Amino acid sequence: MTKVLMKGNEAVGAAAIKAGCKYFFGYPITPQSEVPEYLSRELPKIGGCFLQAESEVAAINMLYGASGAGARVMTSSSSPGIALKQEGISYMCGAELPALIVNMMRGGPGLGSIQPSQTDYFQSTRGGGNGDYRTIVLSPSTVQEMVDLVMLGFDLADKYRNPVVLMGDGVIGQMMEPVEFKERTEEIPAKPWAATGRGTRTENNIINSIYLSADELEVHNHHLIEKYKAIEENETRVEEIGLEEGVELVISAYGTSARICKSAMGILEKKGYKVGMIRPITCWPYPYSSFEKIPESCKDILVVEMNHGQMTDDVKIATKGRQNIHFFCRLGGNIPTAEEVAEAALKVLEAK
């Protein structure tokens, strides 16, 4: 299979087309603007539609409408733009509409900076809109993995009738790496629930998220909760490294931070330390059970993020007090180096 050198953002667009996406609605914002730029050029070639909306709010509502009509659709943005889409994402979860939402995170809060960050973990995994809802959250650490997860994201969105968030950042969106596009065997599923005209159906298909009856809304919420339980049971994805007896420290990180931590692990291993890793690929559902595999002899976990410890909450939930939780970060768009992570790990290892 031929590999192609591509920038991360452009690889997202190419993977979306490969996955059968024909409709994109979005608005430019650094550092993800190459995604809409690529799709504006390529979608018309396959009879698709690229539409630059007048705002992020407009874009997410266009996504709602196109998904409700049964199309395979996506949008992309970066942190403040995704913040503006939160109401629409909540509506889409309530109406059970599938879509891929790509977030190439940048520094915040507010407009922040255009530099890479991971400060939207809470927003993505807890939900920035109203109501009890969840989005599947995929976090790639390489451009190849981003390609694979874009394709998976569309399939999961259709399978569960739920929005999927691909949570990248400015590093992975802007870097160039060789990628390959695997041949797809999955077909886009039929969507008999879509609002495509009544035709020969005996009932109307109605797409909405409003239930004026409290009892009806309660039933709907229980239905959504059961769906989220099924996602947790079947779709948790994680990379586990070195969780065997004798491991002295486990590092937990995702996305760009995780690939930096892997380099730091090499530095630590050369110094004679045994270090493991738990890398969530799905930040929701979170791989809580992976932490149960850490040997009792290992008492320390180092969490590394480009934020002020947002995933640390999930690590604390997962460990249930079995290990000591340590944390290292860089903020404001600064990217940690492998040497900095190794130094933070050595402080933990040498304090024993």
Side-chain angles (χ1 to χ4, degrees), residues 233-249:
E233 291 170 1
N234 299 310
E235 306 302 343
T236 302
R237 288 168 169 80
V238 61
E239 180 184 13
E240 301 169 351
I241 302 173
L243 303 184
E244 64 256 3
E245 200 64 42
V247 64
E248 299 171 81
L249 174 71

Side-chain angles (χ1 to χ4, degrees), residues 136-285:
I136 299 170
V137 182
L138 306 174
S139 183
S141 65
T142 67
V143 177
Q144 178 64 60
E145 193 172 41
M146 189 148 60
V147 166
D148 297 337
L149 292 182
V150 164
M151 295 185 185
L152 174 66
F154 280 110
D155 293 335
L156 292 178
D158 280 340
K159 179 179 180 180
Y160 293 101
R161 285 188 61 184
N162 204 75
V164 172
V165 173
L166 188 133
M167 190 171 66
D169 60 64
V171 172
I172 200 166
Q174 294 296 321
M175 72 166 53
M176 296 186 75
E177 289 186 319
V179 297
E180 58 184 18
F181 296 87
K182 300 167 187 173
E183 289 302 318
R184 288 178 52 80
T185 57
E186 299 86 350
E187 294 185 0
I188 299 176
K191 300 179 180 179
W193 48 264
T196 55
R198 181 163 175 172
T200 59
R201 293 194 307 269
T202 57
E203 296 181 359
N204 295 330
N205 281 359
I206 299 174
I207 305 293
N208 67 43
S209 64
I210 187 169
Y211 294 83
L212 296 179
S213 163
D215 290 339
E216 289 182 1
L217 182 56
E218 185 176 47
V219 169
H220 181 59
N221 271 275
H222 279 300
H223 160 70
L224 294 178
I225 289 167
E226 288 303 311
K227 177 171 71 174
Y228 301 148
K229 286 180 181 176
I231 294 171
E232 288 183 290
E233 291 170 1
N234 299 310
E235 306 302 343
T236 302
R237 288 168 169 80
V238 61
E239 180 184 13
E240 301 169 351
I241 302 173
L243 303 184
E244 64 256 3
E245 200 64 42
V247 64
E248 299 171 81
L249 174 71
V250 171
I251 296 175
S252 188
Y254 59 94
T256 293
S257 291
R259 64 186 292 155
I260 295 168
C261 288
K262 287 181 179 179
S263 296
M265 289 169 68
I267 296 172
L268 295 166
E269 287 165 7
K270 287 179 180 178
K271 293 181 179 290
Y273 293 103
K274 292 188 70 174
V275 181
M277 173 178 277
I278 296 175
R279 176 177 74 93
I281 297 172
T282 51
C283 287
W284 194 87

Side-chain angles (χ1 to χ4, degrees), residues 2-35:
T2 303
K3 289 192 175 184
V4 183
L5 184 65
M6 295 191 77
K7 178 180 280 193
N9 284 334
E10 294 182 342
V12 166
I17 291 174
K18 189 79 172 177
C21 174
K22 296 183 70 174
Y23 301 92
F24 176 93
F25 309 94
Y27 192 81
I29 180 175
T30 304
Q32 65 80 54
S33 292
E34 292 90 352
V35 178

